[in-house]
Each structure stands twice: as C-alpha cells, then as structure tokens.
Amino acid sequence: MEKNIKTKIKNGKINNKNVLLLKNNKFIHSIDNYYYIIIIDNLIIDTKRKEEKIFVIKILKNFYCIEGIDGSGKTSITNKLKALCNDESRYYFTKEPSSGIIGELIREQLMNFENPLEESTFAYLYAADRHDHLYKKGGILEILNTKSRKIITDRYLFSSIAYQGKLGYELNKNFPLPEKVFFIETDPNIAYERIQKNRTQSDLFELEKYKTFEQIALKYLKIFKKLEKKINVIYINNSIKDNLDKNAKKIFNLIKF
C-alpha cells in the first residue's frame, strides 16, 4: 500500500476526497482503518540536482497506546481509564505481552532465572507476539475492522525500541503506529521506589533495567521526540501518586467517542 501511495504522489494522482493537505509538504491519506501520513522532503543534492524523497507512515485509526517505564503508574492509570470507559462494546483494553500463546511464553520465560533466554531472543519473541496480537483471528485489526470500537493497549512497539535498541527498531519498524501515544512521565527514582515497595517478585528484565532506569526513561523520550512531528504524542506527568485519577480522566477526554 505504501508503495502504491508513493507512485500516486509521483504521478500527481494523490489528490482526492480522502486526502487532507497539511503544511510543509505533509499529507494525511485515509484508507479503511488506516491513516497514511505522507511527508515529502526535497533534498538538495548539489547546485544542479534536487532529489524528492517520500516517507509514508502508517497509523491505525482508533488505536491508542499507553507507555511508560516500570513504576510510572502506567498500569494503574490504564485500570482507572477502563473504569471511566465502562463500555466493553465501545472500548477494548489489551496489553503486551498479549494473552496469546507467544505472550504467555514470554511471561513464563521472564520468570526463568535458572536458564534465561538471551535478550535478543526476547526481542524476536516480543515482535512475534505483536504480529500475532495485531493480525490473528480476533486480533486488534479484526476488532477494528468489524466493530465500532476503540482499542487501548498497555505497551506497544515503543517498549521494544526503548528496551532492545536497534534490534527492537528493526523488528518493529513495519508495524502500524497508534493514533495517539500517551507517555506516562515519572521521575525514575520515584518509579524505582514504587517497584521496590509494591512488587513481591521482579522478572529478568526488571532486575536488569533497575541498573539503567534513568537511561531507559531517556530512550523513551528520544523516541517520542523523533515521532511527535509525525504522530500525536501526549506527555502525562505522574510523579505524584494522587494524580492517577486526574491523569486517567485526561486520557479519557482525548479518546472518548
């Protein structure tokens, strides 16, 4: 689909009722359950040559993601948001790792301290679980195709990129992006203290991530700074525990029908 859109742009055929022209050579093309953000960059090669590059970003309509480091309050906010939505026929809540076969395998292996998998193996498993989560029968795409519902996921591909770096990016770069991303910002020290206080047992990644908690938070910020001109990134500060209800309501007001 992206290739067809690029061809249409080059041939001057992209202008139709489904296209909204934005400033700075940026378009939104709406097809079925996707928005395609089309960005045209004119790159000057030298004084005589100019090259036009077309970038297409695929965004899944009515699909929202809540991200944040462990201990940010992400899951608590998601649970409060679920109570606010209070209508399973219109709002569908999910998470990653998913409840599918691969997601369950990931959860089992995260608690395998005696013979742990390599981090790169986890990266491939997360990507496989995400593909299954999106495209399987009864998955995210089918729900959006057949029902008038909005889907909210606790974690998505941004977690893989933040925690698994370049490999995470390469394995996940072709998945569609959500319509909105809510990044729960929390002071890493506060997040770390929350986990120490509330978790009875940590998994493999949590134990390792504690050593680089602040670095993971910075990686998230770097990812979203690059993306915020392309997709809608909303930053939610949750360093104060009493903000949970207020922050859940803020998200609800931005996704409600």
Side-chain angles (χ1 to χ4, degrees):
M1 181 61 72
E2 290 92 331
K3 186 176 180 181
N4 290 339
I5 290 174
K6 289 181 181 180
T7 302
K8 288 180 181 180
I9 293 172
K10 287 181 179 178
N11 294 333
K13 297 178 180 178
I14 197 67
N15 294 317
N16 62 46
K17 65 180 180 180
N18 292 324
V19 175
L20 174 64
L21 175 61
L22 305 177
K23 61 183 180 180
N24 299 326
N25 285 342
K26 186 176 178 182
F27 302 80
I28 295 180
H29 190 44
S30 179
I31 304 174
D32 298 326
N33 279 311
Y34 293 103
Y35 293 118
Y36 290 89
I37 306 296
I38 305 153
I39 301 170
I40 303 174
D41 279 350
N42 291 313
L43 305 176
I44 297 175
I45 307 302
D46 55 38
T47 55
K48 294 183 179 180
R49 290 190 302 148
K50 186 170 72 171
E51 181 178 316
E52 183 176 83
K53 284 201 172 184
I54 301 170
F55 302 92
V56 178
I57 302 160
K58 187 163 64 173
I59 295 176
L60 197 52
K61 298 177 187 177
N62 294 323
F63 180 47
Y64 307 95
C65 168
I66 300 176
E67 286 279 7
I69 62 174
D70 289 297
S72 63
K74 168 181 55 62
T75 301
S76 295
I77 288 174
T78 302
N79 288 336
K80 287 183 178 294
L81 177 63
K82 190 173 183 179
L84 285 171
C85 292
N86 194 31
D87 188 346
E88 292 184 1
S89 68
R90 306 192 81 189
Y91 299 95
Y92 180 85
F93 283 80
T94 187
K95 62 182 178 180
E96 293 190 352
S98 75
S99 59
I101 295 173
I102 304 172
E104 290 301 321
L105 173 62
I106 292 171
R107 287 193 179 84
E108 289 174 9
Q109 291 305 310
L110 284 172
M111 304 308 295
N112 179 7
F113 294 95
E114 292 185 5
N115 188 25
L117 297 176
E118 292 291 327
E119 188 170 344
S120 59
T121 304
F122 275 111
Y124 282 98
L125 284 173
Y126 274 110
D129 179 51
R130 187 160 294 123
H131 188 278
D132 189 54
H133 196 197
L134 283 164
Y135 301 116
K136 71 179 179 181
K137 183 174 177 58
I140 288 170
L141 198 60
E142 184 174 295
I143 292 170
L144 292 174
N145 274 332
T146 57
K147 299 176 182 178
S148 179
R149 297 173 88 179
K150 296 194 173 189
I151 295 181
I152 303 96
T153 182
D154 179 343
R155 291 203 184 283
Y156 189 49
L157 59 85
F158 311 104
S159 291
S160 289
I161 300 171
Y163 291 122
Q164 294 147 7
K166 186 177 179 180
L167 178 59
Y169 171 76
E170 289 298 324
L171 293 174
N172 291 276
K173 64 183 179 182
N174 293 322
F175 287 124
L177 296 174
E179 190 171 327
K180 286 185 174 69
V181 182
F182 298 94
F183 179 56
I184 311 302
E185 290 187 290
T186 305
D187 183 294
N189 292 321
I190 294 174
Y192 180 65
E193 289 174 4
R194 287 174 181 168
I195 290 176
Q196 286 186 311
K197 181 179 178 180
N198 298 325
R199 300 279 175 91
T200 56
Q201 185 176 8
S202 299
D203 63 39
L204 286 168
F205 279 169
E206 287 173 341
L207 287 173
E208 180 64 25
K209 285 181 287 189
Y210 288 167
K211 301 174 185 177
T212 56
F213 232 54
E214 190 171 354
Q215 288 93 322
I216 295 297
L218 290 173
K219 285 180 182 178
Y220 263 120
L221 288 173
K222 187 176 179 180
I223 292 166
F224 291 129
K225 287 298 178 186
K226 286 183 178 179
L227 282 172
E228 62 188 13
K229 291 183 179 179
K230 301 172 184 177
I231 64 172
N232 199 346
V233 180
I234 297 99
Y235 298 90
I236 307 285
N237 190 286
N238 195 55
S239 291
I240 301 173
K241 188 176 180 180
D242 292 343
N243 283 349
L244 287 172
D245 289 303
K246 184 179 81 172
N247 287 335
K249 190 169 183 179
K250 186 184 295 184
I251 295 173
F252 175 70
N253 287 335
L254 290 169
I255 69 169
K256 65 183 179 180
F257 280 94

